Amino acid sequence: MENIALVVGSTGITGSNLAHELLSEGWTTYGLARNPNSNISGLIPVKADLLDIENLEKALENISPTHIFFTTWMRNDTEEDNIKVNSALVRNLLNVLSPKKSIRHVALVTGLKHYLGPFEAYAKSGFLPETPLREEQPRLEYPNFYYAQEDAVYEAAERDNFTWSIHRPHTVIGYAVGNLMNMGTTLAVYASICKETGRKFIFPGSSAQWNGLSDVTDAKVLAKQLIWAATTETAKNQAFNITNGDIFRWKWLWVKIADYFQIEFEGYKNEIRPLEQELQNDQKLWKDIAEKHHLEEGNLYRIASAWHTDLDLGRPIEVMTDMGKSRNAGFTTFKSTLDSFLDLFDKLKKEKIIP
């Protein structure tokens, strides 16, 4: 039976890397986005707005996917709005496709906010989730759009009789341009600015993140788990953490990144020094760097998302996940985190995103 994938959010880090992996394995693959990319050979672009049902119906009129991979979300000002909008994204898509009865599996990518909750959960109330984070940990009492998205999948699965999987990565590291949550590229751009100007590469996060254990998720590892769960009976109707499989401390990795770029670094010193403030006046500087080195993107804010990096590295707790559940179920893909970053930096240089 032919596998026909619809990757929702195909321009993002997760979606674009997943599309590459699906195509390499011979899947017919559609990539849905508001502004689809056309630089992935073999990917069939679908231009659609998930909040516009009439537009969505027209865009999917002749498409009957067997597998949905939902890899996108929309950032809003409040969690109440996040819940309303992001659950609608999932529900609208599955409602529009429901009459076709073609869907066999839906995979939803969320993240560790499932366990951590909003910032106030652990910063203001004193709540500290037990680490390593495990899939059986219960939902928190705080409003969370991840829960709303999951519920939309569960409701449609019961109605339309398809299987599902939920995937919870930590920070996703991978190649994508114009993505709004891209720590790897953000740090590469910051390091490039430091090299160009002689500034020190200053760790922007907390003492807990600098000294504590952490992990991240390579986008290619996530892609492999998504396909594995969609095609493995024992993995269906399950939620899985997904990281590279190793752990590290930022005090170790920060030095390695600085060594790659041949720049001076400075670790945590008594206070959080947000990257958003560090880069706030660097747009003109980056434009000049881009012109000098003939780079592809001169808009700093299209390639660097300092706010997201600050949220991750500013956490007042160490954060790492347990991979035992998917390992026991047969998913064994592993990637060195240092290699994830260095491979990305090499790719960014090759594609003329950084000098």
Side-chain angles (χ1 to χ4, degrees):
M1 191 178 297
E2 184 184 9
N3 290 327
I4 303 171
L6 177 64
V7 178
V8 185
S10 57
T11 57
I13 300 176
T14 298
S16 59
N17 280 275
L18 173 61
H20 278 292
E21 188 69 23
L22 288 163
L23 290 163
S24 74
E25 295 192 16
W27 290 53
T28 299
T29 307
Y30 293 88
L32 186 150
R34 281 176 294 178
N35 297 294
N37 56 24
S38 55
N39 57 357
I40 299 178
S41 178
L43 181 65
I44 306 166
V46 179
K47 183 178 176 63
D49 181 350
L50 291 167
L51 293 176
D52 184 335
I53 293 176
E54 185 176 339
N55 171 265
L56 197 53
E57 287 175 336
K58 186 174 181 181
L60 296 172
E61 185 177 5
N62 298 313
I63 301 171
S64 299
T66 59
H67 294 73
I68 307 293
F69 297 94
F70 208 96
T71 72
T72 191
W73 69 286
M74 291 178 65
R75 186 187 184 199
N76 295 273
D77 290 336
T78 67
E79 193 61 17
E80 182 181 20
D81 287 338
N82 276 334
I83 290 169
K84 181 180 179 181
V85 171
N86 288 292
S87 62
L89 301 181
V90 177
R91 191 170 287 109
N92 289 349
L93 177 72
L94 298 180
N95 285 349
V96 165
L97 290 173
S98 180
K100 297 175 183 285
K101 304 301 179 188
S102 64
I103 302 173
R104 304 202 299 265
H105 186 85
V106 172
L108 172 68
V109 178
T110 60
L112 297 195
K113 185 180 172 184
H114 182 94
Y115 308 111
L116 300 173
F119 178 76
E120 56 266 22
Y122 47 83
K124 296 179 182 177
S125 70
F127 166 77
L128 295 174
E130 184 176 305
T131 58
L133 303 168
R134 291 183 168 88
E135 292 90 343
E136 68 266 19
Q137 290 174 222
R139 288 183 176 184
L140 304 177
E141 62 185 39
Y142 301 93
N144 192 323
F145 80 85
Y146 285 168
Y147 303 161
Q149 285 190 311
E150 285 184 2
D151 289 343
V153 171
Y154 301 153
E155 291 164 11
E158 186 172 352
R159 178 190 67 205
D160 296 335
N161 196 33
F162 57 71
T163 59
W164 53 266
S165 58
I166 309 297
H167 304 261
R168 298 169 184 158
H170 197 167
T171 302
V172 179
I173 305 300
Y175 179 77
V177 177
N179 187 271
L180 295 181
M181 297 190 301
N182 196 334
M183 179 194 282
T185 301
T186 298
L187 293 181
V189 168
Y190 175 38
S192 298
I193 288 173
C194 290
K195 186 166 187 175
E196 193 75 17
T197 61
R199 282 152 54 178
K200 283 187 177 179
F201 187 54
I202 298 171
F203 182 73
S206 67
S207 173
Q209 284 289 305
W210 178 252
N211 293 300
L213 292 170
S214 191
D215 50 25
V216 298
T217 307
D218 190 288
K220 294 178 181 178
V221 174
L222 173 54
K224 288 182 181 296
Q225 193 197 59
L226 283 160
I227 297 171
W228 166 79
T231 56
T232 304
E233 283 303 317
T234 55
K236 291 176 180 176
N237 300 331
Q238 301 284 334
F240 293 107
N241 292 333
I242 176 62
T243 62
N244 285 353
D246 63 355
I247 54 176
F248 65 92
R249 298 182 198 275
W250 276 104
K251 66 192 299 183
W252 170 81
L253 185 59
W254 202 254
V255 178
K256 298 294 185 183
I257 295 174
D259 286 347
Y260 176 92
F261 286 95
Q262 299 180 313
I263 53 179
E264 289 188 67
F265 74 93
E266 193 171 289
Y268 176 81
K269 283 193 176 180
N270 303 318
E271 63 180 353
I272 292 175
R273 293 175 283 182
L275 185 57
E276 193 164 25
Q277 291 180 20
E278 177 72 17
L279 296 180
Q280 65 183 349
N281 298 317
D282 286 340
Q283 170 55 50
K284 183 180 185 305
L285 172 62
W286 182 256
K287 184 179 179 183
D288 292 342
I289 292 172
E291 290 177 358
K292 176 181 175 181
H293 295 281
H294 308 290
L295 304 182
E296 291 293 323
E297 181 56 68
N299 185 343
L300 177 65
Y301 305 112
R302 264 188 52 80
I303 51 176
S305 49
W307 65 270
H308 174 257
T309 297
D310 284 340
L311 283 176
D312 266 18
L313 297 184
R315 291 168 177 158
I317 53 174
E318 69 172 17
V319 179
M320 58 178 173
T321 59
D322 181 79
M323 280 289 291
K325 184 178 179 181
S326 63
R327 294 288 188 246
N328 287 334
F331 181 75
T332 58
T333 300
F334 171 89
K335 174 89 174 183
S336 156
T337 288
L338 179 58
D339 288 346
S340 288
F341 278 92
L342 300 190
D343 289 351
L344 172 62
F345 299 157
D346 287 344
K347 173 74 170 176
L348 292 170
K349 284 186 176 182
K350 181 181 178 183
E351 299 298 326
K352 301 294 289 182
I353 303 300
I354 62 173

